[in-house]
Amino acid sequence: MGHKVNPQCLRLSISREWTSRWFAHGKKQFRQQLHEDRKVRELLEKELASAAVAKIVIERSAEKVRIAIHTARPGILIGRRGENIQRLQEKVQKILGTQQQLKMDYVEIPNPAVEAKLIADSLAFQLQKRIAFRRAMKRAIQQAMESKECKGIKVVCDGRLQGAEMTRREVYRAGTVPLGTLRARVEFGMSTAHTTAGCIGTKVWVCRGDLISLEKAKNAPRSRPLTQSVVPAEPATAA
């Protein structure tokens, strides 16, 4: 089952939250807001192609819309004196309309080497620059496994690799990636490299461990240094 279903959809409400958080009162409103979310995501992904964006979270209330952009390069997102984010906010406001108040925030990703979406985008970029696919895949696996957060990674490249006449599929993996285990925190990302020989698809699965072990490590009491009690010596008495 895990091989035929997107791991993110399979783990919704279990170990992963929705990226669009709002409620519609009717079919017409649901359809309208769904199209708006899609246009906003396509616009931001196109404008922020070099900002290493991993996820875009959209939250809606009655009259407010909050967009949180998870990026590994917040400097590119903000721009000089905030000019870039102000320009993006004006473009997104045109899609949403003037009736809704917009607020855009960013969340910095501390370790981009274990983000599945960023790894897939990096592989696609390297393939477009004609870097050997085996070298790029092995390097991505090595960087991810060096991090303590990553328990396993699986990387797939499919297409006319190195300009071959027939398409083929190359798979590399390290560690454990349990796609059918719901308690495992598995992240999935995919991207497309547009080369002269054709399109090459990249898929990445990253496992960060079980939710039970992560909760235990989070709630575990911090270890304190051992203290040794010292008993003062009694004064010597004269014989």
Side-chain angles (χ1 to χ4, degrees):
M1 181 172 59
H3 292 277
K4 298 178 176 62
V5 182
N6 190 314
Q8 298 178 359
C9 299
L10 188 65
R11 290 168 174 82
L12 279 176
S13 74
I14 298 175
S15 61
R16 188 175 179 86
E17 297 181 355
W18 281 262
T19 54
S20 292
R21 303 167 188 171
W22 44 264
F23 178 80
H25 295 280
K27 294 182 179 179
K28 184 177 180 181
Q29 184 183 9
F30 177 81
R31 184 166 56 250
Q32 179 183 356
Q33 294 182 359
L34 188 64
H35 283 298
E36 289 178 356
D37 286 7
R38 184 175 180 181
K39 290 180 180 179
V40 168
R41 293 180 193 279
E42 290 178 352
L43 173 65
L44 294 178
E45 289 176 358
K46 181 180 179 181
E47 295 289 337
L48 302 174
S50 60
V53 176
K55 184 171 60 173
I56 299 173
V57 180
I58 301 176
E59 297 180 357
R60 293 174 182 262
S61 60
E63 298 178 354
K64 296 181 180 180
V65 178
R66 179 179 177 270
I67 300 177
I69 303 173
H70 294 247
T71 175
R73 301 174 183 173
I76 299 177
L77 171 62
I78 298 173
R80 182 178 297 179
R81 299 179 182 178
E83 295 178 356
N84 193 17
I85 195 170
Q86 184 67 26
R87 178 176 56 84
L88 289 175
Q89 192 166 355
E90 293 176 357
K91 290 184 177 181
V92 174
Q93 190 70 58
K94 291 181 181 179
I95 298 175
L96 300 176
T98 57
Q99 300 178 354
Q100 296 179 340
Q101 183 180 358
L102 176 63
K103 181 180 180 182
M104 292 185 65
D105 298 330
Y106 72 91
V107 179
E108 185 176 0
I109 299 174
N111 191 4
V114 295
E115 287 290 335
K117 176 60 177 175
L118 298 185
I119 296 173
D121 291 341
S122 176
L123 287 174
F125 178 76
Q126 294 182 54
L127 292 175
Q128 290 178 357
K129 295 297 181 180
R130 297 184 179 182
I131 296 177
F133 69 94
R134 289 192 181 92
R135 179 183 177 184
M137 294 170 70
K138 292 180 180 179
R139 185 178 180 182
I141 291 174
Q142 182 181 1
Q143 291 179 353
M145 293 303 295
E146 288 178 356
S147 176
K148 296 181 180 179
E149 300 178 9
C150 181
K151 304 299 180 182
I153 181 173
K154 177 182 176 182
V155 181
V156 176
C157 285
D158 195 349
R160 294 183 60 186
L161 301 175
Q162 295 181 346
E165 294 183 359
M166 296 183 64
T167 62
R168 69 177 187 272
R169 189 169 184 261
E170 293 284 341
V171 183
Y172 287 91
R173 68 183 69 196
T176 58
V177 185
L179 299 180
T181 306
L182 295 179
R183 69 173 180 270
R185 185 183 174 186
V186 179
E187 295 185 359
F188 173 73
M190 60 185 300
S191 184
T192 304
H194 300 277
T195 63
T196 55
C199 294
I200 299 176
T202 60
K203 295 182 180 181
V204 178
W205 291 261
V206 176
C207 178
R208 295 193 179 185
D210 293 342
L211 293 177
I212 299 174
S213 59
L214 293 174
E215 289 294 331
K216 287 182 179 180
K218 186 185 298 184
N219 300 329
R222 295 182 179 179
S223 60
R224 298 180 179 179
L226 297 177
T227 57
Q228 183 178 3
S229 58
V230 179
V231 179
E234 296 181 357
T237 56

